[in-house]
Amino acid sequence: MATAAGRTATDAPSNSDLEADIRQLKADIEELTRRLAKTRDDGYGAARRAAAEGVAQLRTQGEAAFESVRGSAQDIEALLVASVREKPVTSLAIAAGVGFLFALLSRR
């Protein structure tokens, strides 16, 4: 008796063969799922470590820049204090002039 695929009834796989194939497919699918989960976890861990290292590096650079700006501001402050102590009248006149200019600009 011929089947649609050109096999005879005796060439067809038995139920036990099909069940074994199904078990093997299930095992293969479980193994693939486990490997994909491990790959995902490894990739996530690597990305998280890289991000943490990047954040630490940016924090260090930011702190260094902040300290540099702070040092510059302290230097400018020291220069202003010295200038005011040397020439208090001139400093007062400059401050009054700057205040007057800000007042003119803010009215417009």
Side-chain angles (χ1 to χ4, degrees):
M1 179 177 236
T3 61
R7 294 185 188 152
T8 61
T10 57
D11 291 343
S14 67
N15 283 342
S16 62
D17 290 338
L18 290 175
E19 289 173 359
D21 288 345
I22 290 172
R23 280 193 302 274
Q24 184 61 44
L25 282 173
K26 284 182 181 181
D28 290 345
I29 290 172
E30 288 173 3
E31 178 65 19
L32 284 172
T33 303
R34 187 184 61 74
R35 285 185 182 184
L36 285 173
K38 184 178 183 327
T39 301
R40 180 201 63 213
D41 292 344
D42 291 347
Y44 174 74
R48 187 172 182 165
R49 281 188 300 277
E53 290 171 4
V55 166
Q57 185 178 18
L58 288 175
R59 180 178 291 138
T60 302
Q61 290 174 351
E63 289 172 355
F66 179 75
E67 289 301 320
S68 174
V69 169
R70 179 188 287 184
S72 296
Q74 288 173 345
D75 291 344
I76 291 171
E77 179 186 9
L79 287 173
L80 285 173
V81 168
S83 176
V84 168
R85 286 187 180 158
E86 285 178 21
K87 301 176 185 177
V89 176
T90 304
S91 299
L92 184 62
I94 291 173
V98 170
F100 181 72
L101 285 176
F102 278 134
L104 283 177
L105 291 174
S106 67
R107 275 199 296 181
R108 293 180 183 213

